[in-house]
């Protein structure tokens, strides 16, 4: 791979897109005419929007320099995301999704990203109503149910847990001994082990069902698109809801947001979840953030472990107050 200056190398990106699309039968004579647009970036990907013959496409480029994911892990996620998009298209997911076009290889013929079709819509973060403050939560709950009802047998390429308890126990086993020296971490672990969920069957999870990964369009009759499937997995349905609430006092600015999200989910789902099941994953997330800081703070910076320990303690106090 040729060396590149720091910052965005637009010429290299254009070469990546043109050289890889021309390998596809429907794009043999493709030439990128208009300038690429930055579409934003997530934790592990940079996204760029471009057009060809009236069709909008997206280049999703993996961040191989990310300290929390190796290059091998990033490539595995890209392959899984591509397979998930193909399956979603085949089984008829009820919401719009990107269509996988091709993988993107660099000069060394190694996968560095993928190209997919762009979907319509603006971020769900803009979809709100002052008279219906939990509207966002209701939309996400309904989409979560649709994801969880996908045929699990079609997603054999995803990581799977046999039971919902395994999803929690797996995360607890990964904690560093130094993390459990924090009193808040030890109390959180004790609470989790004494509140293990009933053995719900695992389901397909989106894995990152935040408002920025749900797009809406058609204001008169709202329609929705669901993007960024790289964190898809098979596990406890409560996990997808905890991704949204994350232990916040007012998830998405909504009073009693966790309870309202769970209520909306149960209205649409075939199986019922409890607020306690979601809280368990909230605690696991915060334990994970503390664990990452314990392992990486001196090397990567960011918030010190004490910051995350304090957050965890605050959540534990709110959990105790709900009893």
């Amino acid at each position: 791979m040729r060396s590149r200056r720091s910052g965005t190398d637009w010429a290299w990106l254009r070469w990546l897109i043109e050289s890889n699309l021309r390998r596809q039968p429907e794009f043999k004579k493709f030439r990128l005419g208009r300038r690429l647009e930055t579409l934003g970036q997530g934790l592990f990907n940079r996204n760029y929007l471009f057009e060809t013959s009236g069709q909008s496409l997206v280049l999703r480029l993996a961040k191989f320099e990310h300290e929390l994911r190796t290059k091998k892990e990033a490539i595995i996620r890209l392959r899984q995301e591509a397979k998930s998009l193909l399956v979603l298209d085949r089984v008829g997911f009820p919401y719009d999704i990107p269509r996988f076009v091709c993988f993107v290889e660099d000069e060394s013929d190694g996968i560095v990203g993928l190209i997919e079709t762009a979907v319509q819509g603006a971020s769900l973060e803009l979809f709100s109503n002052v008279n219906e403050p939990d509207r966002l939560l209701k939309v996400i709950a309904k989409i979560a149910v649709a994801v969880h009802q996908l045929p699990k047998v079609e997603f054999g390429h995803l990581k799977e847990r046999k039971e919902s308890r395994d999803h929690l126990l797996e995360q607890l086993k990964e904690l560093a001994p130094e993390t459990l020296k924090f009193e808040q971490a030890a109390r959180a672990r004790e609470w989790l082990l004494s509140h293990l969920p009933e053995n719900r069957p695992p389901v397909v999870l989106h894995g990152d069902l935040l408002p920025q990964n749900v797009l809406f369009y058609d204001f008169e009759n709202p329609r929705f698109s669901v993007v960024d499937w790289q964190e898809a997995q098979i596990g406890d349905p409560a996990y997808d809801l905890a991704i949204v609430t994350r232990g916040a006092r007012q998830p998405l600015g909504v009073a009693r947001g966790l309870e309202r999200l769970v209520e909306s989910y149960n209205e649409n789902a075939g199986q019922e979840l409890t607020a306690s099941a979601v809280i368990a994953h909230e605690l696991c997330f915060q334990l994970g953030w503390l664990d990452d800081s314990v392992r990486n703070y001196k090397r990567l910076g960011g918030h010190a472990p004490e910051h995350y320990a304090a957050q965890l303690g605050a959540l534990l106090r709110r959990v105790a107050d709900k009893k």
Side-chain angles (χ1 to χ4, degrees):
M1 181 188 296
R2 74 177 188 232
S3 61
R4 297 188 293 276
R5 298 186 303 272
S6 61
T8 304
D9 188 336
W10 295 103
W12 181 72
L13 290 175
R14 291 175 66 91
W15 174 83
L16 268 184
I17 291 170
E18 291 181 348
S19 62
N20 281 276
L21 276 182
R22 287 171 185 168
R23 299 176 189 175
Q24 311 306 311
E26 64 269 39
F27 296 102
K28 280 189 175 180
K29 297 182 179 180
F30 171 76
R31 183 175 179 81
L32 187 60
R34 294 181 58 186
R35 180 183 168 138
L36 280 164
E37 297 178 33
T38 300
L39 195 58
Q41 57 180 296
L43 187 60
F44 298 110
N45 293 86
R46 296 184 180 88
N47 304 309
Y48 302 91
L49 180 69
F50 62 98
E51 291 188 7
T52 171
S53 303
Q55 182 181 23
S56 296
L57 300 176
V58 174
L59 166 66
R60 284 173 56 74
L61 202 60
K63 293 180 179 177
F64 287 145
E65 73 276 14
H66 201 289
E67 296 283 354
L68 298 180
R69 179 172 289 175
T70 66
K71 182 174 181 178
K72 180 179 179 180
E73 289 169 336
I75 293 173
I76 289 173
R77 295 286 183 154
L78 286 169
R79 291 187 180 279
Q80 288 181 343
E81 182 171 12
K83 289 180 181 179
S84 293
L85 292 178
L86 292 170
V87 173
L88 288 163
D89 188 44
R90 185 172 71 245
V91 302
F93 185 61
Y95 297 95
D96 291 343
I97 56 166
R99 180 178 62 83
F100 172 70
V101 176
C102 66
F103 287 114
V104 171
E105 298 179 349
D106 64 8
E107 300 93 327
S108 62
D109 294 328
I111 293 176
V112 295
L114 59 80
I115 292 175
E116 63 187 23
T117 58
V119 292
Q120 296 186 63
S123 170
L124 192 61
E125 293 170 304
L126 305 176
F127 183 79
S128 61
N129 187 331
V130 294
N131 298 318
E132 192 179 357
D134 58 351
R135 195 177 185 188
L136 284 173
L137 295 176
K138 289 180 178 179
V139 170
I140 291 175
K142 193 171 182 180
I143 291 173
V145 170
V147 174
H148 299 171
Q149 291 176 343
L150 286 165
K152 188 175 62 175
V153 68
E154 299 286 345
F155 291 83
H157 59 283
L158 297 180
K159 181 175 182 177
E160 179 175 358
R161 290 90 176 177
K162 293 182 179 179
E163 296 175 343
S164 54
R165 290 187 179 190
D166 295 335
H167 202 154
L168 283 171
L169 291 171
E170 172 187 297
Q171 296 172 78
L172 291 179
K173 289 177 182 177
E174 293 174 352
L175 297 174
E178 293 79 6
T179 300
L180 294 173
K181 291 179 181 178
F182 282 87
E183 179 262 341
Q184 299 95 328
R187 284 197 291 122
R189 183 177 182 275
E190 181 181 351
W191 189 94
L192 286 165
L193 291 175
S194 61
H195 292 79
L196 288 174
E198 60 189 45
N199 283 325
R200 291 182 294 274
V203 299
V204 176
L205 306 175
H206 177 274
D208 199 13
L209 208 53
L210 293 170
Q212 59 262 37
N213 291 328
V214 179
L215 311 181
F216 76 97
Y217 57 101
D218 188 349
F219 286 85
E220 298 300 321
N221 183 27
R223 297 179 61 185
F224 301 95
S225 306
V226 185
V227 300
D228 198 349
W229 291 82
Q230 69 176 336
E231 300 300 323
Q233 54 194 282
I234 296 175
D236 186 2
Y239 178 92
D240 262 351
L241 303 193
I243 283 282
V244 180
T245 57
R246 292 182 173 243
R249 187 178 294 276
Q250 294 190 354
L252 303 186
V254 179
R256 293 188 64 252
L258 186 152
E259 290 79 4
R260 292 187 180 190
L261 178 63
V262 171
E263 289 166 5
S264 294
Y265 180 89
N266 288 337
E267 287 174 4
N268 294 281
Q271 62 176 336
E272 284 206 0
L273 292 179
T274 64
S276 179
V278 179
I279 289 170
H281 283 285
E282 288 183 334
L283 286 168
C284 269
F285 286 147
Q286 297 214 8
L287 273 170
W289 300 333
L290 172 58
D291 192 59
D292 283 341
S293 182
V294 167
R295 295 172 187 266
N296 300 304
Y297 172 64
K298 291 183 179 179
R299 183 167 55 95
L300 302 179
H303 291 301
E306 289 74 15
H307 169 84
Y308 295 105
Q311 282 190 337
L312 184 57
L315 177 55
L316 284 166
R317 287 192 293 274
R318 292 201 299 276
V319 171
D321 290 341
K322 292 184 182 195
K323 292 182 180 179

